[in-house]
Amino acid sequence: MPSRTAACAGVAINVHPMARARTILFPEKRIKFSVDVMKHASAGQLLLVGVRGPVLGPAEAKLLRRVQPGGFILFGRNIKTPVQLRKLIDDLRDVSEIEPIITIDQEGGRVSRLRLIGNEPPNAQQLRDKGDIGLIRRHGDITGRLLRLFGFNLDLCPVLDISFDDEADNSLRGRCYGRTAQEVIKNAEAFNDALRAAGITSCGKHFPGYSAATIDAHYDLPKIDRTRGELDANELAVFAKFSSKVDSMMICHGWYPCFEPTKTPASLSHAIVTDLLRGELRFNGLNMTDDLDMGAILNEYSFPDMLRLALAAGNDLAMICHRIDRIGEARDVIEKLPRQCLDAALASVARFKARLAPPTQFSEEAFRKTDAEVWDLRVEVLGEERAAQRSTEKGSHSPVELY
């Protein structure tokens, strides 16, 4: 696709031509997806934000109507019952003038938000160790159908990191599809293809890879001392393969001196987000930061600076999961950036939204039926005895399962 160049805070970024608007009919609701960024140019569309609790109160609804975030990410704090969850997601759509991205971390094992109201799917490592690619595909299909039932349209999966040490007690424990690049590619591709076939968009994470991190980015900024040659042979070999297979990419908060001699997280690095991901790997989908409320960012940058740098680096979405009271300020910061800085991101968000599939008809019976499929899969992967043992939450080690 041809592109033009625009300046964003002194940094060159690619801006793709705008496509035409189209209308998609959702059940009981007509929603316009417009990729005309001049008509629907709200700085709030460049924010992916968290929600306070299981119910959308009047004050929060008013804030969201004013800010008009591009999307919402839900956590355990937002999930109490199946009916409540679907109601919350319907309410988030109701306050949104443009169809929002509704996302969640529904991987498997301990990072499965929906296990709070249902069965826990096997994690990536358990599926990998079982050695049956058909079970991985089945997991992707069930996950996609389950998410659409609640109204989600993006799953923050698959994890594309390589497990260099399965015993490491860190944020990646149990979440990796392989111990080599080829093993990750084979297994993650099976999940990704099935998830997308079920109508849920996918997200490759955590670019360019947390695999060699020795510090958890939830707490502090990890320095990842990998040479470019090591990355090319391992982490980047996986992401390069998926650059045309996933709908979005999440950029991690690791510092890679081989790309940035000065201490800079990948998520705020133009060299990594634009030059490497967009340029070398030719990724044309939606890209987003990892949560900007993690310690790796909180300890290093002010609130306005992190947002300016995230957009200048070439991200389409800035993710704010927990400082929800500041999303109005976040929109104001973004709104003041040069218009050229925002157009490429707005166009990317709009193009992504034009591909979103509608929710399926919800009923508790439909949920219970799909949830039973999760249990059957868990038993087939783990056996009855191990299936009965749910993952232990270890938020003291890494808050990823609770975050």
Side-chain angles (χ1 to χ4, degrees):
M1 182 182 293
S3 63
R4 60 189 175 85
T5 300
C8 175
V11 177
I13 59 175
N14 288 326
V15 182
H16 295 275
M18 298 173 235
R20 290 188 298 275
R22 66 187 178 109
T23 299
I24 293 179
L25 292 179
F26 271 24
E28 303 176 356
K29 195 172 183 181
R30 180 181 293 269
I31 299 172
K32 278 191 176 181
F33 291 95
S34 175
V35 292
D36 183 343
V37 297
M38 300 308 291
K39 286 178 62 180
H40 296 283
S42 165
Q45 288 292 296
L46 305 185
L47 291 170
L48 181 64
V49 305
V51 180
R52 290 188 178 118
V55 176
L56 193 60
E60 187 174 12
K62 183 179 178 181
L63 174 64
L64 296 177
R65 284 193 185 95
R66 177 169 65 86
V67 175
Q68 287 298 305
F72 304 97
I73 176 171
L74 301 189
F75 291 88
R77 64 177 183 257
N78 306 118
I79 301 170
K80 297 300 179 186
T81 71
V83 172
Q84 164 272 321
L85 178 58
R86 177 59 188 251
K87 172 67 163 58
L88 174 61
I89 290 175
D90 287 345
D91 289 345
L92 292 173
R93 283 196 160 88
D94 285 343
V95 300
S96 302
E97 295 175 5
I98 301 172
E99 176 67 9
I101 296 165
I102 310 282
T103 191
I104 194 170
D105 292 287
Q106 184 67 14
E107 299 174 14
R110 64 195 178 106
V111 188
S112 302
R113 310 300 181 203
L114 297 180
R115 73 184 183 134
L116 294 172
I117 53 174
N119 288 305
E120 177 184 312
N123 66 32
Q125 182 177 330
Q126 290 164 342
L127 285 159
R128 175 198 85 197
D129 291 347
K130 183 67 176 177
D132 185 339
I133 203 76
L135 294 176
I136 298 177
R137 291 194 189 96
R138 193 165 131 203
H139 180 217
D141 173 65
I142 295 170
T143 301
R145 288 186 285 112
L146 184 62
L147 292 179
R148 281 190 69 187
L149 192 60
F150 286 109
F152 293 101
N153 48 38
L154 168 65
D155 191 4
L156 297 178
C157 284
V159 171
L160 299 179
D161 299 278
I162 302 168
S163 177
F164 293 144
D165 179 5
D166 283 345
E167 301 305 315
D169 192 7
N170 57 28
S171 67
L172 293 178
R173 178 175 50 85
R175 301 170 69 192
C176 300
Y177 277 105
R179 292 151 292 193
T180 66
Q182 288 308 310
E183 191 175 28
V184 173
I185 289 168
K186 179 186 72 173
N187 292 327
E189 185 173 38
F191 174 88
N192 182 70
D193 289 350
L195 180 76
R196 296 178 78 206
I200 293 291
T201 55
S202 63
C203 178
K205 63 186 186 185
H206 310 79
F207 184 82
Y210 276 134
S211 301
T214 57
I215 296 174
D216 189 337
H218 288 92
Y219 298 120
D220 213 340
L221 177 64
K223 181 181 180 182
I224 301 176
D225 279 316
R226 301 278 280 171
T227 67
R228 179 59 196 267
E230 289 172 329
L231 289 169
D232 283 341
N234 295 280
E235 293 96 317
L236 290 181
V238 178
F239 285 101
K241 181 71 174 179
F242 279 85
S243 65
S244 62
K245 294 181 180 295
V246 291
D247 302 287
S248 62
M249 287 277 194
M250 181 189 293
I251 318 302
C252 80
H253 300 319
W255 170 31
Y256 297 79
C258 69
F259 294 114
E260 289 281 6
T262 305
K263 188 178 184 181
T264 307
S267 53
L268 307 185
S269 166
H270 185 271
I272 291 176
V273 178
T274 296
D275 296 343
L276 178 61
L277 181 58
R278 293 291 196 201
E280 290 188 46
L281 271 59
R282 299 183 181 279
F283 178 67
N284 292 318
L286 183 79
N287 61 22
M288 67 190 78
T289 69
D290 203 342
D291 181 13
L292 293 170
D293 287 336
M294 290 164 65
I297 302 297
L298 284 172
N299 299 342
E300 304 287 337
Y301 297 93
S302 70
F303 191 79
D305 283 349
M306 76 175 189
L307 290 163
R308 295 187 193 106
L309 290 168
L311 272 295
N315 291 289
D316 300 322
L317 287 175
M319 190 188 299
I320 300 175
C321 297
H322 304 284
R323 286 181 285 180
I324 299 162
D325 58 328
R326 301 188 70 175
I327 64 172
E329 178 187 349
R331 188 200 62 175
D332 293 344
V333 170
I334 294 173
E335 212 162 37
K336 292 182 175 70
L337 294 173
R339 182 68 206 188
Q340 306 97 299
C341 182
L342 308 183
D343 283 348
L346 285 166
S348 182
V349 170
R351 282 195 304 273
F352 180 83
K353 289 188 172 189
R355 300 196 304 272
L356 298 178
T360 51
Q361 186 68 36
F362 177 81
S363 71
E364 286 197 82
E365 181 183 0
F367 166 67
R368 296 302 172 196
K369 182 179 179 181
T370 311
D371 189 51
E373 293 184 60
V374 175
W375 174 253
D376 291 343
L377 175 67
R378 183 172 177 82
V379 170
E380 191 160 348
V381 172
L382 300 174
E384 289 276 3
E385 185 177 346
R386 288 181 64 203
Q389 302 168 7
R390 291 167 69 94
S391 296
T392 303
E393 295 180 348
K394 293 185 177 181
S396 59
H397 295 274
S398 173
V400 64
E401 57 261 52
L402 306 174
Y403 208 56

